[in-house]
Amino acid sequence: MKKPLLFLVIGGFLVVIGIGLSVYATQLVIENLTTQEGFIGSGMTMEVYKELNPTKNENGVYVIQIDDFQGVGGIIISVFDPLGNVVITKSIDSNPIQDSFKISMAGTYKLLVENSADREVHVIAVIGYLPQDQSLTVSIFGFVVILVGLVGLVAGTLYFIKSRGKPNVS
C-alpha cells in the first residue's frame, strides 16, 4: 500500500472513531437530563421533574431557554428538593440561563418556571445531573481524535498530490 493511501485510510478511520466518541459523550450527557418544552401563558407555570441521587452525582444543573426573549422579565424559576424545600429561586434576566445546585438527598427534584410577564413565552426547561468528568473527557478525546484524523487526511492528500507529479522509479 502506498504511503498517501495509508495516510488517507488511517486519517479517515480516526475521523470516524472520533465522531463515534463524540456521539457517545453527547449521549452520556443527554441521558442524565430531563427536558420539557412548551408555551407558558401569563400567570401560568411549567413543572419539570427528575429523579436525582447524590450517590450518583452531588451536583445538579438546570437550564432555561426562552425563544424570542427580548428582556421578557417576569419569569421566575425555582428548584425544589424532594421534601418541597426551595433549593434555588431566581428571576431570569438573561437568556439562556444555566446554573448548578447541590443534590442533598435522593428523590424527585422539581424545576418550576413561572410566567408573570404580560405575554405568552416559549420555554425550554432542563433539569438533571451536571455532566461528570468522564463524559467531558470522552468528548475532549473524541475531538482530539477527529483533529488527528483530519491532519492525517490533509497530509495524505498533500502527499498524494505531491507524489502524482513524480514518475515512479523502481
Side-chain angles (χ1 to χ4, degrees):
M1 187 180 272
K2 293 184 177 181
K3 283 186 182 179
L5 188 57
L6 184 63
F7 275 122
L8 292 173
V9 169
I10 291 173
F13 181 71
L14 288 174
V15 168
V16 169
I17 295 295
I19 290 171
L21 288 171
S22 295
V23 168
Y24 176 67
T26 302
Q27 184 62 33
L28 285 175
V29 171
I30 289 174
E31 74 183 10
N32 291 316
L33 300 173
T34 299
T35 304
Q36 187 168 331
E37 178 179 357
F39 289 92
I40 307 175
S42 181
M44 305 288 287
T45 62
M46 174 190 284
E47 297 177 356
V48 185
Y49 297 93
K50 177 72 176 170
E51 281 287 325
L52 301 173
N53 191 333
T55 59
K56 184 173 181 181
N57 188 344
E58 293 181 349
N59 298 305
V61 67
Y62 65 88
V63 179
I64 305 292
Q65 181 175 348
I66 300 172
D67 289 348
D68 195 26
F69 181 66
Q70 302 173 354
V72 167
I75 306 293
I76 299 170
I77 56 166
S78 302
V79 176
F80 296 90
D81 70 11
L83 299 177
N85 300 320
V86 176
V87 177
I88 290 177
T89 296
K90 191 179 277 191
S91 179
I92 295 183
D93 55 1
S94 63
N95 188 42
I97 187 168
Q98 174 183 329
D99 203 0
S100 60
F101 61 93
K102 283 288 184 195
I103 301 171
S104 57
M105 65 182 71
T108 304
Y109 282 72
K110 176 173 75 171
L111 172 62
L112 178 70
V113 183
E114 301 175 75
N115 180 8
S116 59
D118 58 355
R119 67 180 179 98
E120 182 178 72
V121 293
H122 181 252
V123 175
I124 300 171
V126 178
I127 187 170
Y129 292 107
L130 188 66
Q132 294 181 344
D133 293 339
Q134 86 180 40
S135 57
L136 297 175
T137 302
V138 171
S139 179
I140 291 169
F141 185 68
F143 180 72
V144 169
V145 171
I146 290 171
L147 286 179
V148 170
L150 289 174
V151 168
L153 286 173
V154 169
T157 303
L158 291 175
Y159 192 70
F160 178 75
I161 291 170
K162 184 180 173 186
S163 67
R164 262 183 65 189
K166 295 180 182 178
N168 267 350
V169 179
S170 298

